Amino acid sequence: MDKPRVYVDLNEMVTDDIVLLSKDDTKADSMGNSITFYEGMPVSLYSDDESDSGETDNLIFEGTAIKYDLRTYPRWEDVKWCARFDRDSLLHGSDIRQKMF
């Protein structure tokens, strides 16, 4: 990965540009660092994905931590933080590695 990132599951989309981030105020990033969220905080994100050949090729993108009222979502009412992001900014990790060389 190009830098420490926080994992999100893109199968847990609330809207087209909002994904569940955390039930708590903190979450470990990909390097094991504890990240404490605040409203409007920029967050570097990733979600697991695979290449056509079945190799790991995570999606990486940038977002902003937001509080989002999920009380009307029965399975997600205990989620405290979400991330808003631009879907057009999603890149595979291999795309970033290619740009670096």
Side-chain angles (χ1 to χ4, degrees):
M1 220 168 296
D2 60 331
K3 61 183 172 181
R5 293 180 175 275
V6 177
Y7 176 78
V8 294
D9 184 343
L10 290 177
N11 292 313
E12 297 178 330
M13 299 291 298
V14 180
T15 68
D16 286 346
D17 64 344
I18 296 175
V19 64
L20 300 182
L21 182 58
S22 181
K23 295 178 180 182
D24 302 309
D25 287 330
T26 60
K27 187 172 182 178
D29 69 15
S30 59
M31 299 297 290
N33 303 310
S34 181
I35 307 298
T36 302
F37 301 112
Y38 59 85
E39 186 74 30
M41 175 184 180
V43 287
S44 297
L45 304 164
Y46 79 99
S47 187
D48 45 6
D49 200 17
E50 294 181 348
S51 68
D52 292 338
S53 62
E55 295 178 23
T56 298
D57 194 10
N58 293 328
L59 290 165
I60 58 175
F61 48 106
E62 304 297 320
T64 305
I66 61 171
K67 287 191 176 180
Y68 194 88
D69 185 0
L70 295 169
R71 288 179 287 186
T72 60
Y73 294 78
R75 296 183 355 239
W76 298 336
E77 65 272 358
D78 58 339
V79 174
K80 189 171 189 178
W81 291 99
C82 291
R84 182 182 307 276
F85 69 97
D86 178 3
R87 290 186 70 84
D88 293 334
S89 73
L90 289 168
L91 292 173
H92 281 101
S94 61
D95 296 332
I96 297 295
R97 287 189 298 277
Q98 290 174 2
K99 289 181 182 181
M100 293 174 67
F101 296 106

